[in-house]
Amino acid sequence: MPAESFPMLGVGAPVAVALAAVAAAWLWAELVRRVLRPYAVERAFARQGVRGPPYRLVGGGNETKAMLAATSGDTLDRSSHDFIPRVMPHYRAWTSLYGKVCLTWGGTTPMLCVGSYDMVKRVLSDRSGLYRKPDPGPAILALLGMGLVFTDGEDWKRHRRVVHPAFAMDKLKTMASTMAACAAEVIGRWESRAAAAAGQVTVEVGEQFGELTADVIAHTAFGSSYRQGKEVFLAQRELQGLAFAFFSSRRFPGSNWAPTESNLRRWRLERKVRDTLLGIIHERLAAAAAGGGGGYGGDLLGLMLEANAAGGDGKAAVMSMDEIVDECKTFFFAGHDTTSHLLTWAMFLLGTHPDWQRRLREEVLRECGGGAITGDALSKLKLTTMVLYETLRLYGAVTLMARRAAADVELCGVRVPRGTMLMIPVAMLHRDEDAWGADAGEFNPLRFKDGVGRAAAHPMALLAFSAGPRSCIGQDFAMMEAKAALALILRRFEFEVAPEYVHAPADFLTLQPMHGLPIVLKLLDP
């Protein structure tokens, strides 16, 4: 039979060859990614004395999951602050076996545990872009946006120039009265409940502080638009739950974008947050354009819009409306979530250390009296500041920070290949006896009596707000808010941790009491 009877044979053979070539190239690339490169990286680190659990082609994460599952039901004595075996058992095991600097794996990605403060300083002080923030993924971006937390390079510098003026100390001091007013509302409700119950009431303060700090950020960030701001808070709280559930579940390729029930819910919430924030922003822009002397407003959003408009002649400081929305997401979530946990853990520590609670109450009455809480008065609360720093050391919201090597680099004598994740075990470093002394595991606020830089053997030892040029821009805001709330509580109540409290710190993206924190509040005489 002539070949002309099968005209497709002439076309099919080249297509088959091309497909075979594509398949072979893909298989080779996967072989390199999954086998050749990981084992080569492992050997290269081993030659430098850096070792860790071996790379596994299949089931590499099972050991970590098993360790976390085995400790998930553990509880601590109230006098113990060492939650590492419960929250980070894998890091405790690895560093015990292989040292403070060891190699672990996240799938095919090498992950270097950076348990040395010298290394941490080099990473966090970098200004050249060698150590970049990792891709957070869509679940976290829906929650926080691509704001200061995740931007890099010139984008980060541009965002920082616009956002920084809103967090200047002179601006923050004007917000102290708003912070105190929000706290007074919550504490007033506690007083009423206590008065109706013979002067004593038990309150689950974790949830209460979440609502309080959301009120504070809604008022200080969005001013007269605070009600819409509270809608953002409610949506973000649900987004946080979805993000945690996403990272805790088994994922498959493309699961970020599959139209699952949780993804559909996340997308709806993300649109709601964006639309709400854009509505507030456009109202401000319209009001400023109409004149009337109010400008953009004196709250955080107004100050940011003012700084952004100052670059309206084409300077690099200008941010788009979507970028401003992302910054609003960032300071709304960071402004309420981390501060609420700081207050919660401070109440736990003061509730289990009545001597320190008494000392702080004396300081508050001496410096603030019984009148209005002001920014100047809060700045005089030295002992309160020490207690808050010690709370951040022992129970900081972030237990682990990550950076990605953007190029092959030498880090304190260790050659690190491009793409390696640098994992900074913050909670473990905060308990490092070489840096903090033999009492590193104990509650001792006096270690901060000479300031943060002299509290430990290393000047950058406290990492609760990160360190270096990318340290948290909102740390003064958080400290002022926490001091205002504590001052008002200490003036009106003595308190202790309720008998039913179970000490089980848990990492739900941020560190928090797994079963809440019930506190027994005893109303002081007026």
Side-chain angles (χ1 to χ4, degrees):
M1 187 175 293
E4 290 80 357
S5 301
F6 300 94
M8 293 302 294
L9 282 178
V11 177
V15 170
V17 170
L19 290 174
V22 169
W26 179 82
L27 287 171
W28 173 252
E30 286 297 291
L31 179 66
V32 170
R33 186 175 73 88
R34 295 179 179 273
V35 180
L36 300 182
R37 186 176 186 274
Y39 284 119
V41 167
E42 189 173 53
R43 288 193 299 270
F45 274 114
R47 287 194 294 269
Q48 302 177 77
V50 178
R51 292 178 171 80
Y55 170 73
R56 291 187 175 90
L57 180 60
V58 179
N62 291 341
E63 182 182 5
T64 298
K65 292 176 183 176
M67 283 191 278
L68 287 168
T71 61
S72 62
D74 292 353
T75 60
L76 280 67
D77 185 88
R78 295 184 187 192
S79 63
S80 173
H81 310 300
D82 185 15
F83 58 75
I84 305 301
R86 170 183 162 76
V87 175
M88 306 170 70
H90 45 316
Y91 277 94
R92 173 62 61 85
W94 295 333
T95 54
S96 296
L97 284 172
Y98 307 109
K100 293 180 180 180
V101 179
C102 58
L103 180 67
T104 68
W105 293 90
T108 60
T109 301
M111 304 173 76
L112 186 68
C113 176
V114 182
S116 155
Y117 268 115
D118 289 336
M119 284 185 165
V120 171
K121 178 182 178 181
R122 185 79 63 85
V123 171
L124 297 183
S125 299
D126 174 66
R127 294 177 181 272
S128 65
L130 280 175
Y131 307 105
R132 295 181 172 271
K133 291 290 188 80
D135 179 6
I140 296 296
L141 282 181
L143 179 64
L144 282 169
M146 198 67 181
L148 279 174
V149 173
F150 295 120
T151 52
D152 273 311
E154 291 302 316
D155 283 340
W156 176 82
K157 293 177 183 177
R158 181 165 52 84
H159 282 232
R160 178 94 177 188
R161 285 197 297 270
V162 170
V163 176
H164 184 265
F167 290 92
M169 182 53 74
D170 61 326
K171 304 291 187 185
L172 294 181
K173 283 187 175 182
T174 65
M175 301 177 187
S177 59
T178 301
M179 296 174 177
C182 291
E185 281 192 31
V186 173
I187 294 163
R189 292 196 292 270
W190 296 354
E191 288 184 81
S192 298
R193 290 175 57 188
Q200 180 173 306
V201 66
T202 299
V203 173
E204 200 294 287
V205 296
E207 184 176 341
Q208 296 275 301
F209 285 144
E211 294 181 7
L212 164 60
T213 55
D215 276 339
V216 169
I217 199 70
H219 280 85
T220 57
F222 302 116
S224 60
S225 306
Y226 75 92
R227 293 189 184 280
Q228 295 101 303
K230 285 297 293 290
E231 293 179 17
V232 172
F233 159 69
L234 293 172
Q236 282 193 311
R237 187 160 62 177
E238 188 173 349
L239 283 168
Q240 183 179 8
L242 291 172
F244 178 77
F246 178 79
F247 284 109
S248 302
S249 61
R250 289 185 174 274
R251 286 175 280 168
F252 54 87
S255 58
N256 285 332
W257 313 111
T260 62
E261 183 179 352
S262 62
N263 281 348
L264 291 170
R265 181 60 181 162
R266 169 165 58 85
W267 296 335
R268 284 194 294 270
L269 288 168
E270 192 174 8
R271 283 195 300 271
K272 179 179 180 179
V273 168
R274 182 179 183 276
D275 291 345
T276 301
L277 291 173
L278 275 177
I280 297 172
I281 291 166
H282 287 309
E283 285 179 8
R284 296 294 182 86
L285 295 176
Y296 297 97
D299 49 31
L300 292 176
L301 175 59
L303 293 169
M304 186 167 65
L305 289 172
E306 183 179 351
N308 194 53
D313 57 357
K315 294 179 183 177
V318 174
M319 295 190 336
S320 69
M321 288 303 103
D322 279 336
E323 288 175 316
I324 290 175
V325 164
D326 281 349
E327 290 300 347
C328 288
K329 287 183 184 180
T330 297
F331 65 60
F332 201 110
F333 177 78
H336 83 77
D337 188 74
T338 54
T339 311
S340 71
H341 299 319
L342 169 57
L343 281 167
T344 300
W345 290 118
M347 290 288 283
F348 166 73
L349 289 167
L350 291 173
T352 51
H353 293 82
D355 54 330
W356 272 100
Q357 184 183 149
R358 175 184 53 77
R359 294 174 70 174
L360 261 60
R361 182 174 294 107
E362 291 172 354
E363 179 184 62
V364 167
L365 293 174
R366 182 176 64 251
E367 301 297 346
C368 301
I373 299 292
T374 66
D376 288 333
L378 293 175
S379 66
K380 298 176 183 177
L381 300 181
K382 305 302 182 186
L383 289 176
T384 306
T385 301
M386 289 184 228
V387 166
L388 288 173
Y389 279 138
E390 182 72 338
T391 303
L392 288 166
R393 184 182 74 86
L394 291 172
Y395 294 97
V398 177
T399 60
L400 191 72
M401 287 192 291
R403 295 291 187 272
R404 176 179 56 82
D408 294 344
V409 64
E410 184 173 305
L411 178 60
C412 295
V414 176
R415 294 184 299 279
V416 178
R418 179 175 62 86
T420 300
M421 295 292 291
L422 305 170
M423 311 304 292
I424 302 173
V426 175
M428 295 180 68
L429 287 164
H430 281 177
R431 289 157 176 76
D432 187 338
E433 292 188 4
D434 292 337
W436 295 97
D439 67 343
E442 300 172 15
F443 176 68
N444 177 20
L446 288 176
R447 71 179 81 246
F448 290 99
K449 65 181 184 299
D450 296 319
V452 175
R454 297 182 180 181
H458 199 289
M460 288 176 57
L462 187 68
L463 300 170
F465 293 116
S466 189
R470 297 201 60 152
S471 60
C472 176
I473 198 171
Q475 58 185 290
D476 291 332
F477 182 99
M479 291 293 287
M480 181 174 291
E481 180 183 357
K483 283 192 279 189
L486 278 181
L488 288 166
I489 293 168
L490 288 162
R491 285 203 309 204
R492 297 301 297 130
F493 296 101
E494 287 182 352
F495 53 89
E496 61 186 27
V497 177
E500 63 266 28
Y501 171 69
V502 177
H503 194 29
D507 194 347
F508 299 114
L509 299 184
T510 49
L511 187 76
Q512 47 197 282
M514 184 172 186
H515 305 291
L517 177 61
I519 291 284
V520 178
L521 298 165
K522 300 175 184 178
L523 193 60
L524 294 171
D525 293 333

